[in-house]
Amino acid sequence: MLSVSCPSCGAPVAFRSHASVMAVCEFCRTTVHKDAGAVQDLGRLSEVLEDYSPIQIGTSGKVGGRGFTVIGRIQLRYAAGMWNEWYLMYDDGGSGWLGDASGQYTVTTARPLPSGWPDFERVRVGAQYDLGAGLFTVSDRRVATCVGGQGELPFRVGDGWQARVADLRRGPAFATLDYSDGDTPVLYTGFATTLGTMQCQLLRDDEAIKASAGRYRGKVQALQCPSCGSPIGYLPGMAANLVCPACAARIDAATPQAEVLAAGERAARVPLTLTLGAVARIGNQDYHLIGAMKRLDDDGEEWTEYLLYTPRGQFFWLVETGEGWWRSEVLDEWPEPGTPAAPKVALHNIAYERTLDYPARVSWAAGAFNWKVAAGERVRVREFERGQTSLAAEMNDEELTWSRSTPVADDQVRAWFKLPAPPTAPRGKSAMSPNDLRWRFLLWMLGLNAVPLLFNFFDTVVWLAAGIFALFISFDAKKD
């Protein structure tokens, strides 16, 4: 480990990895460049926005049998949200990256770039490219800006530095083509993972997060809408893209001062089965309903999607349709072949057939979301089914996501949210109209006469007709 003095304030700055070329002074935020034994002051780098990630500098774990330690971090922001890239130093001297976005994680390392890679401007979401290990499907393509950093990094970066990246997926595998340094990209490959799978140690607990941020991770806070002043419940750092339920203004709460992105008009009251802020007890965890939106297709069919979050888990959607309720979760492992244009896909060796292909548009939204959402946004949806399980690919020009949905009974939803049972029809004579009684009695008479009808057809039919005539006459007389 190399330790140098900060050129700005004199505080010690450590370089633990030989691959690190710069580090951020913990005391004055100066970026220190290591070059041929000398150090240079590259100016100050902004502090990262507190996003309540449990990861921190010094977190350790194991991936593929290799131990690692987190030694650096850059925070990147793009049009629809933000994410962290944690720089890893492996025990064997290698290095890699841990992507951290809304509780979903990927681990990657640099690999040789095969021939046939596309130009950044020609990369298209949903297209497939061979990266030397089979065809990968482009999941997103974006230009992001660095808004903060910590610790050591393997390249020079500062405020305003831009990353041009395209992410690709193949089953559980993950890859990134990074065009930040020019037209020839750097290839990083790896896979999706979880903190538990990585056996992470030295994660920040609730008390450590509260000490640095002033509040607990995952605790819903209230923010006054800068446009109309109405309170909005949200998760700071986790779901900071807000839509005011009162005035429909879109708000970016991921900045020191909440910014109104687009002032909306006073929103009409939209009836919802579940209310924003409601808490569901699912298993042994409390899930907060933090966002809701309505979507519709070109045929006018509408449904409602509710976003739920728990501090110890990931986001998931509860979808209310005319056919019932569905629980939908974003997939880390993609089906094969991964492209929504395929007539069939397979997940965990189970085949799903495409059944629906339609455009969907957001018609209304309110609450907090982990990406920027607004009325009018459109995606193309392709659904694949096997039994009662459905896979859905949602795609626009910037992103492709896959999710899996399973049905949830109405009684189960009511139990989760402690909702009252639906009203039942009254019982007794008043519950049945005279016509209902008439036809029920008629059916009873037909059944009663069915057996003798077989043995004495003519006589039975005569008496049956007379009885039916008398029945109708009596009912009509009572009605008058």
Side-chain angles (χ1 to χ4, degrees):
M1 182 176 69
L2 173 66
S3 181
V4 301
S5 296
C6 173
S8 180
C9 71
V13 178
F15 286 87
R16 286 172 286 188
S17 171
H18 70 277
S20 300
V21 300
M22 67 161 282
V24 181
C25 177
E26 297 180 9
F27 295 91
C28 70
R29 308 299 305 165
T30 295
T31 56
V32 182
H33 182 224
K34 179 181 68 174
D35 184 15
V39 294
Q40 301 175 18
D41 184 344
L42 299 179
R44 285 170 171 74
L45 182 61
S46 298
E47 288 190 66
V48 294
L49 177 72
E50 183 50 69
D51 63 353
Y52 302 83
S53 173
I55 303 172
Q56 62 182 336
I57 304 295
T59 293
S60 62
K62 186 173 290 188
V63 173
R66 303 170 70 195
F68 68 83
T69 302
V70 175
I71 62 173
R73 173 196 197 184
I74 56 174
Q75 196 169 64
L76 297 159
R77 187 180 183 88
Y78 64 107
M82 61 190 304
W83 83 96
N84 296 302
E85 291 287 349
W86 299 92
Y87 184 46
L88 308 180
M89 179 181 69
Y90 287 99
D91 295 347
D92 57 14
S95 60
W97 293 92
L98 172 59
D100 171 9
S102 296
Q104 292 184 300
Y105 303 96
T106 56
V107 174
T108 58
T109 55
R111 302 292 186 192
L113 179 68
S115 59
W117 45 266
D119 296 332
F120 181 70
E121 299 301 330
R122 296 183 179 180
V123 173
R124 294 292 179 266
V125 172
Q128 292 189 315
Y129 300 97
D130 190 346
L131 301 180
L135 291 174
F136 279 68
T137 304
V138 178
S139 59
D140 61 70
R141 173 189 176 278
R142 60 176 61 110
V143 177
T145 302
C146 175
V147 294
Q150 289 177 290
E152 302 173 46
L153 295 168
F155 46 77
R156 294 176 58 166
V157 61
D159 287 350
W161 176 83
Q162 287 194 328
R164 300 190 304 159
V165 293
D167 291 337
L168 306 93
R169 289 181 179 267
R170 175 187 169 92
F174 180 87
T176 295
L177 288 171
D178 187 345
Y179 297 80
S180 303
D181 293 332
D183 295 333
T184 302
V186 177
L187 172 63
Y188 298 89
T189 64
F191 49 87
T193 186
T194 65
L195 297 180
T197 301
M198 293 186 292
Q199 305 173 40
C200 285
Q201 305 293 321
L202 298 178
L203 294 170
R204 295 198 302 168
D205 58 18
D206 287 347
E207 294 299 329
I209 292 172
K210 186 175 189 296
S212 64
R215 54 178 70 91
Y216 289 113
R217 167 185 167 88
K219 184 177 180 181
V220 177
Q221 303 292 314
L223 172 74
Q224 299 296 321
C225 173
S227 181
C228 72
S230 299
I232 308 172
Y234 80 111
L235 293 166
M238 294 296 293
N241 300 288
L242 317 180
V243 180
C244 178
C247 71
R250 289 194 297 127
I251 301 158
D252 181 6
T255 58
Q257 298 294 328
E259 299 177 3
V260 177
L261 299 176
E265 298 178 357
R266 179 71 53 177
R269 287 289 180 181
V270 175
L272 297 174
T273 303
L274 305 175
T275 58
L276 289 172
V279 178
R281 186 68 176 178
I282 303 176
N284 60 350
Q285 299 187 73
D286 287 335
Y287 283 79
H288 297 267
L289 198 166
I290 61 173
M293 67 177 178
K294 286 185 175 290
R295 288 169 129 182
L296 53 82
D297 59 23
D298 284 354
D299 294 329
E301 183 176 348
E302 190 175 56
W303 63 95
T304 308
E305 301 183 7
Y306 302 93
L307 181 60
L308 285 92
Y309 174 75
T310 182
R312 297 301 175 187
Q314 295 182 352
F315 296 93
F316 81 87
W317 293 92
L318 194 58
V319 183
E320 182 183 15
T321 73
E323 299 177 353
W325 293 89
W326 300 79
R327 176 171 177 161
S328 180
E329 296 174 304
V330 177
L331 291 174
D332 282 330
E333 180 176 345
W334 277 25
E336 300 280 2
T339 171
K344 293 183 179 181
V345 296
L347 181 65
H348 301 150
N349 294 321
I350 298 176
Y352 294 77
E353 292 190 5
R354 193 170 73 190
T355 55
L356 295 172
D357 185 344
Y358 57 92
R361 174 174 59 87
V362 176
S363 59
W364 175 89
F369 302 89
N370 54 340
W371 90 101
K372 291 177 183 175
V373 60
E377 292 183 351
R378 300 177 67 92
V379 295
R380 183 173 181 179
V381 183
R382 293 182 175 97
E383 293 189 19
F384 299 75
E385 293 183 1
R386 172 67 179 267
Q388 290 189 308
T389 302
S390 172
L391 303 181
E394 296 190 10
M395 185 174 70
N396 56 25
D397 292 338
E398 290 78 34
E399 188 174 22
L400 167 63
T401 62
W402 280 89
S403 60
R404 176 171 52 197
S405 299
T406 52
V408 180
D410 181 74
D411 291 345
Q412 181 65 76
V413 174
R414 293 183 179 278
W416 284 346
F417 288 91
K418 294 183 172 60
L419 299 177
T424 57
R427 295 185 178 182
K429 294 182 180 180
S430 60
M432 190 173 295
S433 67
N435 278 335
D436 293 332
L437 289 170
R438 177 185 298 175
W439 287 109
R440 182 168 293 186
F441 189 77
L442 175 60
L443 292 174
W444 178 81
M445 287 189 64
L446 289 173
L448 184 63
N449 283 273
V451 174
L453 181 64
L454 298 176
F455 299 97
N456 195 353
F457 181 79
F458 180 76
D459 292 342
T460 303
V461 168
V462 172
W463 287 108
L464 179 60
I468 293 174
F469 178 76
L471 176 66
F472 274 77
I473 291 298
S474 65
F475 270 106
D476 287 338
K478 291 180 180 179
K479 185 176 180 181
D480 294 338

